[in-house]
Amino acid sequence: MRWLASAGCILLLAGCKGDSLPKARVLPGDDNPHAQNDECKDASKDPGRVTLHRLNRAEYDATVRDLLGDTTRPARDFPADDHGYGFDNNADVLSMSPLLLEKYATAAEKLVETAWSKGHLRTCVLEAANPEPCARDILSRFARRAWRRPVTPDEVNRLLRALPLAQQQGDPPEMGVKLALRSVLVSPHFLFRMEKDPASNTPRRLDDFELASRLSYFLWSSMPDEVLLQAAEQGRLRTPEELEAQVRRMLADPKAQALVSNFAGQWLFTRALDSAEPDPTLYGAFNEPLRQAMRQETELVFQEFITGDHKLRDLMDAPFTYVNDALATHYGLPPPGSATPKRVDLSGHSERQGIFGHGSLLTVTSNSDRTSPVQRGVWVLEQLLCSAPPPPPPNVEGLPPPVNPHMTMKERMALHRSLPQCQGCHRMMDPLGLALENYDPIGRWRLNEVSGAPVDATGDLPDGTVLNGGADMRRFVKDDPKLPACLTEHLLTYALGRGMADTDHCAVKEIAATAEASGGRLGDYILSIVLSDHFTSRRGDPEAQSP
Amino acid sequence: MSKKLSLSRRTLLRGAGALMALPLLERMVPGTARAAEALPTAKRLAVFYVPNGIHMAKWTPSGTGPTWELTPTLQSLAPVKSDMLVISGLANDAGRPDGDGHHAAGTAALLSCTKAFKTEGTDFHAGISMDQVIANHLAQQKATRYPSLELGNDAGRGIGNCDSGYACPYANNISWAGPRTPMAKEARPKAVFDRLFAGVDPGTTQAQVAKRRAYGLSIIDFVREDATALQKQLGATDRRKLDEYFTSVRDLEKQVDALGQQGPACGVQVAPGEDEDPRTKTKAMMDLIVLAFQCDLTRVATFMLANARSNKVYGFLGLSGGHHAYSHHQFVQSNFDALATIDRWEVEQYAYLVRRMKELKDATGASLLDSSLVYFTSEIEDGNAHIHRNLPVLLAGKGGGAVATDRHLRAPGVPIANLYISMMRAMGVPNVTSFGADGTGELAGFGG
C-alpha cells in the first residue's frame, strides 16, 4: 500500500498529468473499445508461463485435509508465505528454504503417524511373510492422489525400497510403508505443482492432470478430488462442456469457500482486518467481536456471489448484507435479533449497500486515528479499476509540507492540489476517498469529523463530475468501463499464480468480454478464465531450454 | 502462558523436529556428565533490525571516540556502555530504490548491500547477506545443528503491495542465502521453541538414534532422486526454483547426518506461550536467541522487530498512530516525540539481548559478549525523506578482540559494506576484501 502514511503528498507523481485518469500500471492501453479491438485482433496467443508452484500454507493445509482427513492445519507452524501481485499464491515469490523443508519433513512424519493410527491408509493387510503386494497397493493409491497424477511402476518400486530398510533395522513392514508415505509427502512431486516445460517456446496445451490441478487449486486451494482425477484419467477434461460441468460442480462444493478466504480475503483486503488497530481512545467501539462480525459480513456477501445469481459488479451496490446484532447496531441498522450474522435487506438503507458500506473495507483503508481518503481512493483505483498511479520517476524524494492539525479533511486533501507535482495523481485518488468521508475509521456513519466540523463528502473528479457521497461514488465505479477487465486481472492473477504483464492485456480484455456476455456473474468470470488459453496452456521458458 | 516441556516417547516419535532431535538428548538432562560441560569459546553473531528508521536527533551521541555519552534514546544501554560501539555516518546506497520503495529496497540491501531488482514478483533477486556468509563459514566447523536462525515478530499483512512495486520477499527478509533465496523467518516463539527443543526423549538408546538417522537419510535420498529426475523436464526458471529445493535438502541432510553428535550442556527449558503483544513476543524471541547460543544450537541469529514499512500501533507506549505514519513526520514535533518513544523502546529490547549475552559465560569464564557481535540497524535513517545515509548503527561485543568498544565512531559517507567486511573478518571469514555493491575494505577505526 503505497499511500499508507500520507495526508501530505509524499511522492512526486509524474504519470498523472492532465484531466484523464492515470493509465493502468500493469495493463497500459487505450480505453476506447474500438481501438482495443484493432489492437488485439492480431495479438499473439501467448498464454505465458507459470513458475514451478510450491503449495502455499493454505494450499498445504487444504491438501492434507483432503488427502488424509487431517484438519490440524499443520502449516500454521510453517513460516509465513510472501505474496506478490497482491496474492500469496504467486509462484515467483513462493520460495523454498531449509527451514521450510525441515518443517515439511516434520509435518510429514506427524501426518503419516496420525493417519496410520486411524487406519485411513491401510487398505489391505501387510503380511509379515510377504508384505510387498499390500505395500504396493497402499503406496500406489496414496502417491497417485498425493502427486495428483498416475504413478509409474518404477516410482512405486523406488518407494518400496523402504521395506527392506525397515527389515534391516529390525522393524515390521508397516514401518517401511510409513517411511515411504513420508517420502511421498516430502517429495517435490507433492510440494510443488509440476507443469513440465515444452521443449520449445511454442505454447502447448496442459496435460489432463496439470489442468486438473490448476482447476482444483484455483477453485478449492486443494488437490483434485476423485471425480476430477478420474475425469483427467479418462481424458474428458479436453472438452469445454466437461470443463464447464466440473467448474459448476466444484463451485457448488463447500470447498469453494477457499475462494472467499484466499481470493476475496486478499482482493478485498479483508485479511488485513486481523492486524487493524484502531485507536482505542477515539474508536473504543472497535472490539474483537466486531472485528469478527465485519470479516464475516464481507465473507458471506462474497460467498453469495459464488453461487448466487448476482452480477459481479453488483458487489458495488448489493442491496443486502449479513450482520449480527452488534454490527447492525454499529451501522445504525435494526438488529436482526441474532448473535450470528443474518442476511438483511438494505433497500431502506442505501448507505450500507455494496462493499463501500462494509466495516471491513472502511477500517483497513483507514489510519488508526483518522480516515484516509488517499488510501480509500487508491484502494478503488488499484483493486477495482487497475488504474493505480504509476510510481514516481527514479531518484525523486518529495518533502511534504507541514500539516496543520486543525484543518478539515477536505482542506488537507486540497493541499495536494496546491502542489503541481502532487495534484496530477491526487486529483483522481482524493475525490474517490473524500466521497466516503461519511464513514469513520471503523465504518460508522458520521456527520461530523472528530473536531466537530461537518463532514464534506463531496469529491470533484478531474473531468468536473462531482461525487456527492458514497452513493454517487459507487455508481461511478460500477459504471466504469475498466471494471470488468480489472476484476478479470485480479482473478486471473490468482487463478494462474502469476503477475500480469503487458502481453496479457488482450487476453484479459477477451476473458472479461466473454464473461460479461455470459451474464457477468462471478461464475461467468471463472468459467471464462478456465476456458481461456491462458488457463489451459503454457509455453516454454525462453531463457533456456531443457538440456 | 508457559508450560513445562514434556518429554515422552510419543513426542519423540511424533513431535516437531523428530527427524533430527536426538542430539539434544543428553543436553536436556541435568546431571549427566555433559551437563557440567561449559559453552565453548566461539564467535557468535546476532542481528537486530528495526523498521522505518530512527529519529536521529535523540540518538546520535555528541562526543567522538572514547569521550561519548549516551543520548536519551540510547539510555537503556548504560549497563553495557563499555561493550558498545556506536557508529554514525555509514551509508547504504544500494538500498536506494528505483523510484519509490525505499523500505523494501533498503531492507533487501540491509545486510547484502546489493540493489534489489524492482519487481512485484517475477524474477526477484538481491544478494547474499553478510550473516549468511558468516553462517556458511561457521557451518564448515559443523559445530552447531543450525547454521543460522531467522526470527521476526511479523508474519506479514498478506494483502496489497508490500512497497511500491517491490516484491514482498524484499520487505520481509533481511537474511538471504543467495540472490534468489530469502531465508524464511519464524514468527512464532512457540514454533521456534518446538523446533529447537521438542521431541526429546531421555530414554532413547544409541541404537535408536542410529535407526532414526538411517530412516531420515532414506527419505532424503528418495526425494533427491525425484528432484534430480525432474530437473531434466523443467525450464531454466523452474530449475532455479528446484535448486532452492536441492539446497534445502542438503541442509536437512546435514542435520540428520549429525544425529547423535554431542553438544554442550543445556538444561530443561520452558516453552514460551502464544502471545502477540510485542513486548512479550520480543522478549520471548530474545530469550530464544540467547538459549540457542547457550545450547550451542546455532552461532548466527537474525531478528526483525517488524517487517519493513511496518505501521504497527504501539498502544502500550501511549501512541495512537502507526509507526510508518509517524515516520513521515512532516517536521511536526508530536511525530518526532512519538518516534523517539518507539526508538527508545526498540533500543531497550536490544539492550536486553546484549545484557543477557553479557551475563552468559563460556568455558574460560569470559562473557559471551566478548567473543560475539550484536548488531542493531534500520533500513533508512530518516523516514520522512527516506535517507539511506547516516544509518543508525550499534554494535555490541568485542568479537574476540576485533572491536574496540566504548566509543562513538564517525564515518561519514563510508559504505556500510565496509563495516560488514570488518564484521565478517572478526567472525573469522578469511580473505574478505570486498562485499556487495560498494564494500572495498575494512572500516577504518573498527578495531580502534
Side-chain angles (χ1 to χ4, degrees), chain A residues 12-18 20-24 387-393 421 423-425:
Chain A
L12 303 173
L13 298 168
C16 306
K17 297 192 178 94
S20 63
L21 292 183
K23 290 285 188 283
S387 306
Q421 69 271 37
Q423 62 152 325
C425 288

Side-chain angles (χ1 to χ4, degrees), chain B residues 106-236:
Chain B
T107 302
L110 190 93
L111 302 180
S112 72
C113 305
T114 305
K115 196 170 164 71
F117 172 67
K118 186 161 193 173
T119 169
E120 274 193 50
T122 311
D123 195 26
F124 77 84
H125 57 276
I128 187 169
S129 54
M130 64 95 168
D131 60 298
Q132 288 302 300
V133 176
I134 291 167
N136 289 341
H137 171 69
L138 297 181
Q140 293 166 11
Q141 304 166 5
K142 297 192 175 180
T144 64
R145 197 203 304 164
Y146 301 105
S148 61
L149 285 185
E150 288 72 37
L151 310 177
N153 280 353
D154 271 7
R157 238 173 134 222
I159 48 97
N161 299 321
C162 272
D163 194 6
S164 305
Y166 278 87
C168 297
Y170 295 138
N172 298 347
N173 300 282
I174 55 173
S175 184
W176 292 68
R180 298 167 200 278
T181 315
M183 296 290 284
K185 63 185 190 298
E186 293 259 28
R188 290 173 53 220
K190 176 68 164 54
V192 181
F193 182 87
D194 285 347
R195 182 173 181 228
L196 297 180
F197 299 109
V200 179
D201 185 344
T204 313
T205 64
Q206 277 305 313
Q208 285 169 314
V209 173
K211 185 187 286 186
R212 288 196 65 77
R213 186 200 286 119
Y215 286 162
L217 291 176
S218 82
I219 293 176
I220 286 164
D221 288 344
F222 180 88
V223 300
R224 200 201 316 261
E225 281 174 28
D226 277 355
T228 307
L230 270 169
Q231 267 185 316
K232 301 182 181 78
Q233 301 166 16
L234 301 176

Side-chain angles (χ1 to χ4, degrees), chain B residues 220-353:
Chain B
I220 286 164
D221 288 344
F222 180 88
V223 300
R224 200 201 316 261
E225 281 174 28
D226 277 355
T228 307
L230 270 169
Q231 267 185 316
K232 301 182 181 78
Q233 301 166 16
L234 301 176
T237 310
D238 288 355
R239 281 208 304 277
R240 274 206 301 271
K241 278 282 166 201
L242 207 60
D243 282 346
E244 295 171 6
Y245 182 86
F246 277 111
T247 306
S248 305
V249 167
R250 266 194 299 278
D251 273 35
L252 188 61
E253 183 176 35
K254 281 181 204 156
Q255 284 177 30
V256 175
D257 202 34
L259 276 178
Q261 203 179 68
Q262 302 298 326
C266 192
V268 173
Q269 307 299 335
V270 177
E274 304 269 8
D275 190 339
E276 283 302 314
D277 185 311
R279 291 168 290 187
T280 321
K281 195 168 179 180
T282 307
K283 180 172 179 299
M285 290 295 199
M286 295 304 99
D287 287 339
L288 284 163
I289 290 175
V290 172
L291 204 51
F293 286 161
Q294 194 177 0
C295 302
D296 212 20
L297 294 168
T298 192
R299 291 175 183 172
V300 175
T302 56
F303 171 71
M304 296 180 77
L305 183 70
N307 287 343
R309 214 173 184 282
S310 162
N311 206 32
K312 180 85 196 153
V313 177
Y314 289 97
F316 63 87
L317 294 173
L319 301 174
S320 59
H323 189 185
H324 180 243
Y326 284 131
S327 79
H328 284 275
H329 51 71
Q330 303 176 61
F331 303 100
V332 174
Q333 187 59 42
S334 59
N335 290 338
F336 285 144
D337 295 344
L339 288 172
T341 302
I342 295 171
D343 297 347
R344 197 160 52 236
W345 181 77
E346 289 171 343
V347 174
E348 282 166 16
Q349 311 315 302
Y350 165 77
Y352 172 75
L353 173 65

Side-chain angles (χ1 to χ4, degrees), chain A residues 1-2 25 52 76-77 82-83 92 96 102-103 109 158 171 186-187 196 279 368 397 541, chain B residues 13 102 120 161 168 172 186 188 195 215 225-226 233 235 237-238 240-241 244-245 309 320 385:
Chain A
M1 295 192 49
R2 191 167 307 137
R25 177 165 44 88
L52 186 63
R76 275 186 304 183
D77 273 348
D82 283 318
H83 63 280
D92 286 297
M96 179 64 77
E102 187 187 322
K103 299 275 185 181
E109 179 168 16
R158 286 182 48 233
D171 276 329
V186 186
S187 164
K196 286 162 193 156
D279 181 355
S368 56
E397 285 168 3
D541 194 341
Chain B
L13 291 173
H102 292 267
E120 274 193 50
N161 299 321
C168 297
N172 298 347
E186 293 259 28
R188 290 173 53 220
R195 182 173 181 228
Y215 286 162
E225 281 174 28
D226 277 355
Q233 301 166 16
T237 310
D238 288 355
R240 274 206 301 271
K241 278 282 166 201
E244 295 171 6
Y245 182 86
R309 214 173 184 282
S320 59

